[in-house]
Structure formats: structure tokens, C-alpha cells
Amino acid sequence: MKKPLVGALFAVLLLGAGVAPATAATGHEAASPTTATGHAAASPTAVKEKARPKAVNFAGTVALSNCSGSVVRTPDSQPGDPALVLSNGHCMETGFPGPGEVVLDQPSTRSFTLLNASGSGVGTLRASRIAYGTMTDTDISVYELTSTYAQIESTYGIKALELNTAHPVQGTAITVVSGYWKRTYSCNVDGFVYRLKEGEWTWKDSVRYTSACQTIGGTSGSPVIDNATGKVVAVNNTGNEDGQECTDNNPCEVDENGNVTVREGINYAQETYGIVPCIGTGNKFDLDRAGCALPKP
């Protein structure tokens, strides 16, 4: 999670947007992790890169003015429900929500460029509201659109991506799909972070990628797709850029005992299975539903 890039003219021209992309991660090569005391930490267990069983494409992803995102549904979403777009909390047009802040059912007219399988923009979708957004415990924003799933499929021939209902699994082959840059990153789930701390914010049970996923600015909010199922298991959000400890743009890992580990050049995502129990009839967020553990306002 990083501040938007300023003056990136090529990025502005790419989308005709008024702002440049938010930086989600670093392009530096991964380095050996170091602990807070400066001693070398044990290298993470190597995870063998797995061949993708089928191609993951751009269909259903979107480009925001400053980030990436995707049209998503739960297993219980209906064709006539207003469609949802998933991105990061730090990508909201209202700015970064502070620690403990939750945005719920706030009006929005934000627009999104919908992409087809090849990454071409096929149309513009528009939000009616920010259904949910936060950077506390996780880093997500979910927009409710003025279009239904049925309308999007009928007009553009594109189906929404489905949110997986189970916790991701270590070693899973994944693809981070950036609608902003029309670029994909393939790697594996390296492991999970008890607490990922960056500046003022702390995220729980984050996904750590293997080093092959060198995501860059503008990939914030990209869906992380399980290659085997095609379902969304996480949303890309940050990476350690300079090897600093727990600062903005340099998240650190904190374990159950408070030990801090820094992994320069390694990138992270926030799990999305916990969103599913919080969405009820009509695709409406209900934070009091059984099983919903998202932070409340």
C-alpha cells in the first residue's frame, strides 16, 4: 500500500484518467529477510512453482482511475442483484481510511473500465455507493454498481469472478490480474502472516507471495485468482519496497510472539473469503450476519 504516484504522465495517458496509479508493491528483486534486530532470519520454505492448469485472463477485471479491481459475486449472488466491484480500501476516492475507520453504504458515482479476456476495455461501469471499505484488519473496498450481473453479461458477455469461501492454501498456484496495467503476475502462496504492519495500519492473516509476483504501482486492488478454480482468494495490496521496518510502503511481518521480520521486495495480499458471510440477500452488506467478522463502524 503506497501513496499514488505523482506525475506519471504515461499512466494518465493510458486510461485518460485524471490521477496516476496507486503503488501497491515494489519492482525490486526479493532479498533475504531480516529480523528487527538486524540478524539474518531463516529463509521461507521454498515452494515449488506449479504449472498453471488453465489460462487466467482479464475477463471481469476493471481499471479504476488509480488502481485495479474486479467484478465479483458470492456463491449466493443472483443475476438480478446489483453487481459488486472489489478493490483496496486505500484505493477509495475518499482517501485512506484511518485505523479503526469503516466506510459503510456511502454514496459514490465512481466509474470503472470493464475489461474482456484479452484486456481490452469494453465499457464503463458506474457505482451507486461504496458498500464497504476499510483498512483495519484488512484492506478492501467493495462498490455496489448501478448495473446487475445479468445486465453486464447481456451487454458485454462477461461474467463476474466468484469469491472463494475457504481460506487460501499454502503452495497454491495463483495469478494476480491487474486491470489497470493489463498485466498478470504468476507465483504461489508462500505462506500467511499473523500480523502485517505498515505505518498506522495492521492487517490480519495476510497472504505472502513467493518472489515471482513482483507487482508494481497500479496493481493495488487486483484480484488474486486460484489458477485451479478460477476463484478469487485474495486482493493484492502491498509490498516491502526499501527494506525498512513497518513504515509506509515497507510492511513488516509480526508473529504471535511479537517478533518482527522484514522481507524486502516481497509482496502481499488480503484474504477475501471473510467477505462472503457478510453479504446477504440482494448483495447487501450485513455485518451482523452469522460468520461475519469484518470490522464494524
Side-chain angles (χ1 to χ4, degrees), residues 7 36 65 124:
S65 59
T124 300

Side-chain angles (χ1 to χ4, degrees), residues 44-47 50 167-173 188-192 207-208 210:
T45 302
V47 179
K50 301 177 182 178
H167 190 285
V169 177
Q170 186 176 17
T172 297
N188 293 75
V189 174
D190 186 53
F192 305 97
V207 174
R208 180 177 62 241
T210 52

Side-chain angles (χ1 to χ4, degrees), residues 57-83:
N57 59 48
F58 295 95
T61 63
V62 300
L64 286 69
S65 59
N66 61 342
C67 287
S68 299
S70 56
V71 181
V72 296
R73 64 182 298 274
T74 74
D76 293 329
S77 295
Q78 299 300 307
D81 289 341

